[in-house]
Amino acid sequence: MAEPSSTISELRRLAANSLAAVSPVPAASQASQLAGEMAARWRRGERPLAEEYLAEHAALLDTPPAAIKLICEEICLRQEHGEEVDSVQVIARFPQWRDELEVLLGCHRLLEPVVSGPRFPDIGEVLHGFELIGELGRGAQGRVFLATQPELADRPVVLKLTAVAGQEHLSLARLQHTHIVPLYLAHDDRQRNLRLLCMPYFGGLALSAVLDALKTKSTAQRTGADLLRALDAVPGNVALTSLATAPARQFFVRATYVQTVCWLGACLADALHYAHERGLVHLDMKPGNVLLTADAQPMLLDFHLARAPLRTDGAPPDWFGGTTNYMSPEQQAAFDAVRAERPIPQAVDGRSDVYSLGLVLHECLAKTLPRPETPPRLDRVNPHVSRGLADIIGRCLQHDPGLRYPDAASLAADLRRHLTDQPLRGVANRNLTERWRKWRRRRPHALPLVGTLMLLLAVTVGANLSWRNQQQQRVREIETALIQGRELLAKNDYAAARAALERGRQLSQELQRGDWSSALDAELRQVQEAQLLHDLHGLADQVRFLHDPDTLSAERAAALEARCRALWDERDLLLRQTQASPSTERGRQLRADLLDLALLGTELRMRLAAPAEQAARRQEALQTFDEAEALFGPSPVLHRQRRAVALGLGRTDLARAAETQAEQSPPRTAWEHYALGRALLREGQLAEAEVQLARAVSLEPGAFWPNFSQGICAYRRGQHQEAVNAFRVCIALAPERAECYFNRALAHQSLGQAEHALADYERALRLQPSLAAAAFNRGVLLCREQRHREALADFQQALRNGFAPAPVYYNLAVAHHGLHDRSAAAAHAQQALRHQPGHPGAQELLQQLRGK
């Protein structure tokens, strides 16, 4: 994460001072806590607005400085993430605090340096004696170019160009180490607002790119030579790798993949220890910041976040950064504390980099990062990792820094001891078999001396060894089943994952290996949970797409309603087995899916009921609403649906109570606004629906369903261009959903844009060939375009996939009439009348055909 500017920090400080000066302590504490939560959600990719928090915590509205604290936090987060902030728009959103915001934002503008953004050069330009010949990468903070230096025999160099800010060049200038990319030159170009950092060009790839190139190969199949092949696949590296005698490359050719990773880890640990000795903690150790050069040397990159160790008794820094997935627990805690302007809760020193390096090594050997709460033993994830190496990496990943390696040098030493079959010093040498193998590799000539003894022992323990070999083979089969189950689960292949894990569990039970049985049972529970959530979410999405349930065939509507009722009846099992916290994304999705099953499932049930059954179905709907409220608490959507059902039963008392409850608990979250807008849309109250859906989109612009329903609402209101725009957003969010293209085609068709409509119907049918409405509508358009023979195929496809037969047969008659096939046209018109007596179009066409 990039270093925030000093003016952003100053804006936070101004807001905090204002809050501390006039706010009660509870309000100030709550505002600071909510600001920290907002920052954490922005780091996860969400974009919450201040209004969302003020709606959920209405008491803060009575304390303006507390509310303004949240508004300023949103402004700072937007600027830190590269978004422009319009002060006029901010003040317009909160007119009740216009004066206070104008003062704070005015101070903020005065503090901002009057400097334009950096002006980056183009490839081919000569910049301060360097000719730019190619771009190697770019990010939010700058760009990296490959350049030559004509004054020094056109030597290739790397130019990193950033704005004139930060301290990375000062950090790098202190470091001269074999495995740290050195700094040749630093130069500030004030006219362009650019800082040039010149570094040698070594070729190669970032370790993250190497791992990405190997992702299709399991860790069990990888070798050290695979890493070389990934490097040599980069065109620019060929010339740099012509010397095959480079020591590191020779080592990679003959080493196993695990040995290669150990060696890389030892080199990087050396580099980190060198930086730590000079008072710098890297704080951004991750695969993307490790360069594997063309001659296979690992080199540490990117010291723009590096700083001196943080102490709990010192002043908190103005900025602090890191990459979320690779932070140590204490670094994450310090990051959150700096954001919330709280004291640092725990020291952050070189042991934080040791933790991050442990994560990198784990990712290299397991293909994934470990779960922070319960990291699995690496030797159980990858059978090629020995227990000793698993213990080394496990010690790096201890939550308590005091239990980790005390410094990176100790970690490097243990990794090299492991590579050279020496006893480990930082962890226990627990496995007798591993110790024996290491001893044998260290003393190959001592083996004949014990041969006679081994021969005698073999006679007595042969049977025992055979039994142990069988046991070990079966343990390896269990390990393989566990690894396969996890990989299949990651691919959402639930049936195959369950089969692999159950096979492993059966073997573990036969061996009476309780430890393996527990691990397999835990994975099976995860498979079952993922399957349940997948089925539930898939069904909820199917029902959400039905903005007009009357267009469904009776058979499909009945099948959907039965599935909704079955899953709702299993709600306690779903909640118990998933154990998803309501504060997590998974918990929020589960709650929304179950609530939609209750709301939309009961609506389907009432639509399917015969007139004599309506009263009973409405009573069942009221019971379902009560169950949902008992499970998830009151909801404005539940109140509204309860009011509508109560009116249908003539229960005016219950309807008035539900209306009062709805008025007392207006929608606050994006989902509640969306669900209420969706209900209004189904009732035909389009203007009111548009207000609720627009609010949902403003609170959560990247949410699919509010945008989709907003498109449906715009289409029904005749705002067809707005509908096209809304469905364009939906396609960007879910390009695999045929319904998005289908509904945009409807809007294009209403605008008279036949070519665009045909293209969208084509995409919809390519994604979902069974989408009968898309085939039917495309056929109608093709008929209008006089492409009758193509239209015939579409109408037949619509008929096969369950579209209402009367309009299909009528349009088949029209298409045959366009092809001058009078007998076929008459036959299909008669078919339309059999399915819908009195069909006006079919009657008119028959009369026309008989009159000729």
Side-chain angles (χ1 to χ4, degrees), residues 744-767:
R744 190 172 70 172
L746 290 176
H748 280 310
Q749 192 170 344
S750 297
L751 288 168
Q753 300 169 348
E755 184 178 351
H756 291 311
L758 286 171
D760 275 347
Y761 284 135
E762 171 66 27
R763 294 188 189 99
L765 287 167
R766 196 181 307 132
L767 289 168

Side-chain angles (χ1 to χ4, degrees), residues 48-174:
L49 302 178
E51 288 95 332
E52 177 180 337
Y53 290 93
L54 295 175
E56 291 180 1
H57 305 277
L60 294 180
L61 297 174
D62 298 329
T63 310
I68 291 169
K69 163 77 173 177
L70 291 172
I71 299 168
C72 289
E73 182 63 27
E74 180 197 324
I75 294 170
C76 293
L77 289 167
R78 287 188 179 281
Q79 291 183 334
E80 288 172 4
H81 286 77
E83 298 183 13
E84 292 188 5
V85 177
D86 187 337
S87 300
V88 175
Q89 290 183 0
V90 173
I91 293 171
R93 285 165 54 194
F94 305 100
Q96 65 270 46
W97 300 307
R98 172 183 297 275
D99 295 340
E100 294 91 335
L101 287 172
E102 284 181 345
V103 170
L104 279 173
L105 294 174
C107 293
H108 180 47
R109 286 192 296 271
L110 289 174
L111 289 168
E112 288 181 340
V114 186
V115 179
S116 62
R119 292 189 293 111
F120 292 101
D122 296 321
I123 295 172
E125 285 190 39
V126 176
L127 186 67
H128 298 285
F130 298 98
E131 183 176 353
L132 309 183
I133 61 174
E135 185 172 325
L136 299 178
R138 65 172 61 191
Q141 305 304 311
R143 300 182 188 177
V144 180
F145 290 92
L146 176 62
T148 58
Q149 197 171 6
E151 295 179 356
L152 293 176
D154 283 329
R155 70 171 179 178
V157 295
V158 173
L159 280 188
K160 181 175 180 180
L161 305 181
T162 64
V164 181
Q167 305 294 319
E168 181 181 7
H169 61 302
L170 300 180
S171 299
L172 273 176
R174 298 156 59 183

Side-chain angles (χ1 to χ4, degrees), residues 541-552 556-557 560 600 603-604 682 705 708 716:
D541 276 356
Q542 281 188 55
V543 182
R544 288 178 184 125
F545 275 119
L546 302 178
H547 281 270
D548 187 3
D550 289 334
T551 61
L552 281 180
R556 189 182 173 204
L560 275 176
L600 303 177
E603 181 179 345
L604 271 176
R682 288 171 181 265
W705 287 112
F708 186 84
R716 292 186 181 175

Side-chain angles (χ1 to χ4, degrees), residues 10 24 108 174 204 250 317 327 358 364 391 435 446 502 546 554 591 595 597 622 650 676 691 718 747 753 766:
E10 189 60 33
H108 180 47
R174 298 156 59 183
Q250 289 184 327
M327 286 190 193
C364 290
D391 286 344
R435 291 168 65 182
E502 287 178 346
L546 302 178
R591 181 182 185 276
L595 272 174
L597 284 194
L622 291 176
L676 185 55
V691 172
Q753 300 169 348
R766 196 181 307 132

Side-chain angles (χ1 to χ4, degrees), residues 487-786:
E487 291 179 347
L488 290 166
L489 174 58
K491 297 176 182 177
N492 297 330
D493 191 346
Y494 306 115
R498 186 181 295 107
L501 293 168
E502 287 178 346
R503 184 174 67 251
R505 182 171 62 174
Q506 182 178 356
L507 286 171
S508 66
Q509 289 173 346
E510 291 173 359
L511 293 180
Q512 297 183 346
R513 290 293 300 268
D515 52 345
W516 284 107
S517 294
S518 299
L520 288 158
D521 285 340
E523 291 298 324
L524 278 166
R525 284 193 296 272
Q526 287 197 33
V527 171
Q528 184 177 14
E529 173 186 338
Q531 177 78 68
L532 283 169
L533 290 176
H534 179 269
D535 292 346
L536 171 63
H537 190 59
L539 177 60
D541 276 356
Q542 281 188 55
V543 182
R544 288 178 184 125
F545 275 119
L546 302 178
H547 281 270
D548 187 3
D550 289 334
T551 61
L552 281 180
S553 67
E555 294 79 7
R556 189 182 173 204
L560 275 176
E561 188 278 325
R563 289 184 62 199
C564 288
R565 185 170 62 251
L567 273 178
W568 177 252
D569 290 342
E570 296 294 329
R571 59 190 180 278
D572 291 335
L573 175 65
L574 281 164
L575 291 168
R576 184 170 62 252
Q577 291 192 347
T578 58
Q579 297 179 348
S581 170
S583 62
T584 65
E585 180 62 31
R586 186 172 62 174
R588 287 192 290 271
Q589 176 183 304
L590 174 61
R591 181 182 185 276
D593 289 344
L594 281 174
L595 272 174
D596 275 352
L597 284 194
L599 294 166
L600 303 177
T602 54
E603 181 179 345
L604 271 176
R605 194 171 311 136
M606 289 186 289
R607 286 176 180 267
L608 289 169
E613 299 174 337
Q614 283 292 334
R617 293 292 176 267
R618 288 191 173 106
Q619 289 290 355
E620 292 173 4
L622 291 176
Q623 181 181 348
T624 300
F625 297 155
D626 290 342
E627 292 168 350
E629 187 167 350
L631 202 59
F632 299 116
S635 164
V637 189
L638 282 172
H639 298 325
R640 182 176 186 83
Q641 296 295 83
R642 184 183 285 113
R643 175 183 177 277
V645 173
L647 287 174
L649 285 169
R651 296 278 307 278
T652 55
D653 56 334
L654 182 58
R656 281 196 297 270
E659 185 173 5
T660 301
Q661 289 174 320
E663 292 172 353
Q664 292 174 350
S665 57
R668 294 182 178 181
T669 67
W671 184 88
E672 288 180 338
H673 282 287
Y674 151 68
L676 185 55
R678 181 186 64 196
L680 290 164
L681 182 60
R682 288 171 181 265
E683 295 170 9
Q685 300 185 43
L686 302 182
E688 295 87 344
E690 171 59 27
V691 172
Q692 296 299 328
L693 294 171
R695 183 60 178 155
V697 171
S698 70
L699 287 174
E700 201 169 343
F704 175 82
W705 287 112
N707 281 285
F708 186 84
S709 295
Q710 194 175 44
I712 297 291
C713 188
Y715 177 77
R716 292 186 181 175
R717 298 186 73 188
Q719 299 171 347
H720 299 124
Q721 186 57 54
E722 288 79 357
V724 167
N725 296 336
F727 291 126
R728 184 178 292 120
V729 173
C730 295
I731 289 169
L733 294 171
E736 76 286 353
R737 299 308 305 236
E739 294 86 352
C740 302
Y741 293 101
F742 170 73
N743 281 283
R744 190 172 70 172
L746 290 176
H748 280 310
Q749 192 170 344
S750 297
L751 288 168
Q753 300 169 348
E755 184 178 351
H756 291 311
L758 286 171
D760 275 347
Y761 284 135
E762 171 66 27
R763 294 188 189 99
L765 287 167
R766 196 181 307 132
L767 289 168
Q768 188 177 333
S770 62
L771 191 56
F776 177 81
N777 285 10
R778 186 173 67 174
V780 172
L781 267 181
L782 289 172
C783 271
R784 293 177 184 171
E785 298 284 318
Q786 304 299 313

